Amino acid sequence: MDRTQKRSVNPNVSRYRYLNLNSNFAANFTAVKWNSPVPYDPVWLASVQTYTPVPPVNETRLWAWVKEEDIQFKLFTRRNPYEYQLLKTNESTTLRESNFNFDNKVKVLAHGWLNHGDSPMPESIKEAYLNVSDINIIVVDWGTAANVNYILASYNVAMVGRLLTDFINFLIKEGVSADDLHLIGHSLGAHVVGIAGAYVRGGPIDTITGLDPALPLFTLGNKDARLDKHDARHVEVIHTCGGYLGFASPLGHIDFYPNGGTRQPGCGIDYRGLCAHNRAHMFFSESIISDVPFTAVRCTDYDELYYKGSCKGTGEKLIMGGFDIHYGKDGIYYLRTRAEKPYALGDVAP
């Protein structure tokens, strides 16, 4: 083969290898899509530019385009841990013919922006709970309304929350006790469950856990549009990207601040905050099944944590997450974690 032939072959071979390399890279990139930066970041845009804050719930009709069929309520139990059963509001027969057990507790999971019902947050928490106990897990799949521009998704939150309210009211009407309900939401999903809890007729809901509740376009002043301590009898919040993607200010009865609540070890530069933001649900899912607890110390007040980034503590300790609910332990709590899985450090000095 002469030089001309070599030139005609080698570029094609190189191009073929290049395409294969990028194909493999794309496959790997897709697998971690939830934890990777995106070329256009409307969360960042919303955080640095001025937009109208998310409207109160009674004004969402002016903004939201969410339809009832856009929201799916997927039931998982130990009888069907991998294949969900679809439940629908006001369909009693479907509920009673499903694997739903009225004698068991109910955990409701709501994902955040650009996620779906099978994204890492609901999947990991669902699996953790079913490994520990035979309970009803209901995943709120609002992916159609969440996989849009962040600004529009944030405006959709209230309508999704009200549709979830209708579904919970239906469960209570069918015989589920509000005392057996625990709502868990990440990012925008934290506000979804907060709104749902606030409007339940048979409430108050027993417990809500907010995992790094979304900050951009939400304000402390407008409690009707976000998670608030009055949305349930007991509200716990885990802050991991406070001040950027998540709220830094306390929102619940108990607020945990791993590693200070803003940056997380192992996340590197993390200039978009996505790694730290996702740590909230990763810590929580691990806490359910871990033999090593996420032991936190209680701070004197939020100012101690805000100005120092940590706190020496009052001597009182509390485990973050886990299977049990921490009633009557209201306060601000600080803890440290490892940079990699397993994240829990146990009972260590702050």
Side-chain angles (χ1 to χ4, degrees), residues 148-219:
V148 293
N149 181 283
Y150 176 83
I151 298 163
L152 182 56
S154 65
Y155 282 24
N156 288 337
V157 161
M159 185 61 72
V160 176
R162 292 307 296 267
L163 290 171
L164 176 56
T165 298
D166 293 340
F167 179 74
I168 293 174
N169 284 335
F170 160 63
L171 291 182
I172 293 174
K173 181 182 177 182
E174 291 296 310
V176 174
S177 171
D179 294 337
D180 290 334
L181 287 166
H182 180 188
L183 314 186
I184 304 161
H186 175 242
S187 192
L188 289 180
H191 300 312
V192 167
V193 297
I195 290 168
Y199 288 88
V200 168
R201 288 194 299 270
I205 293 295
D206 185 72
T207 306
I208 290 178
T209 299
L211 305 175
D212 211 36
L215 172 61
L217 298 185
F218 294 86
T219 65

Side-chain angles (χ1 to χ4, degrees), residues 76-79 81 103-107 125-137 288-289 323-324:
F76 296 89
T77 69
R78 280 189 168 176
R79 294 175 63 187
D103 295 327
N104 292 344
K105 299 284 187 180
V106 182
K107 306 285 185 180
I125 296 175
K126 175 205 70 174
E127 290 178 8
Y129 270 129
L130 292 180
N131 272 323
V132 172
S133 179
D134 185 11
I135 57 180
N136 303 297
I137 300 288
I288 298 169
I289 57 176
F323 190 81
D324 297 325

Side-chain angles (χ1 to χ4, degrees), residues 257-324:
Y257 291 84
N259 308 298
T262 300
R263 298 181 181 277
Q264 300 302 318
C267 284
I269 298 175
D270 196 23
Y271 70 99
R272 283 194 172 100
L274 295 175
C275 176
H277 193 45
N278 283 311
R279 280 288 200 269
H281 70 75
M282 297 168 80
F283 292 161
F284 186 76
S285 60
E286 180 182 317
S287 75
I288 298 169
I289 57 176
S290 176
D291 291 330
V292 180
F294 286 85
T295 306
V297 296
R298 184 173 183 175
C299 301
T300 304
D301 51 34
Y302 178 64
D303 287 345
E304 180 185 8
L305 181 71
Y306 179 81
Y307 289 109
K308 296 182 179 180
S310 63
C311 62
K312 294 182 179 179
T314 62
E316 185 178 353
K317 296 181 180 180
L318 191 66
I319 295 175
M320 182 183 75
F323 190 81
D324 297 325

Side-chain angles (χ1 to χ4, degrees), residues 44-63:
W44 170 82
L45 197 61
S47 69
V48 299
Q49 294 188 7
T50 302
Y51 288 93
T52 304
V54 174
V57 176
N58 59 0
E59 295 180 13
T60 54
R61 64 183 183 277
L62 301 175
W63 303 100

Side-chain angles (χ1 to χ4, degrees), residues 31-99:
V32 293
K33 182 178 179 181
W34 60 279
N35 199 29
S36 58
V38 292
Y40 168 60
D41 191 351
V43 175
W44 170 82
L45 197 61
S47 69
V48 299
Q49 294 188 7
T50 302
Y51 288 93
T52 304
V54 174
V57 176
N58 59 0
E59 295 180 13
T60 54
R61 64 183 183 277
L62 301 175
W63 303 100
W65 55 272
V66 183
K67 299 178 182 178
E68 189 172 354
E69 55 266 29
D70 293 330
I71 314 301
Q72 293 185 316
F73 302 106
K74 299 178 176 180
L75 172 68
F76 296 89
T77 69
R78 280 189 168 176
R79 294 175 63 187
N80 60 306
Y82 306 112
E83 299 293 330
Y84 65 82
Q85 294 178 327
L86 202 60
L87 304 180
K88 294 186 178 182
T89 303
N90 297 327
E91 290 194 5
S92 300
T93 302
T94 302
L95 175 65
R96 296 188 178 277
E97 290 180 351
S98 72
N99 291 333

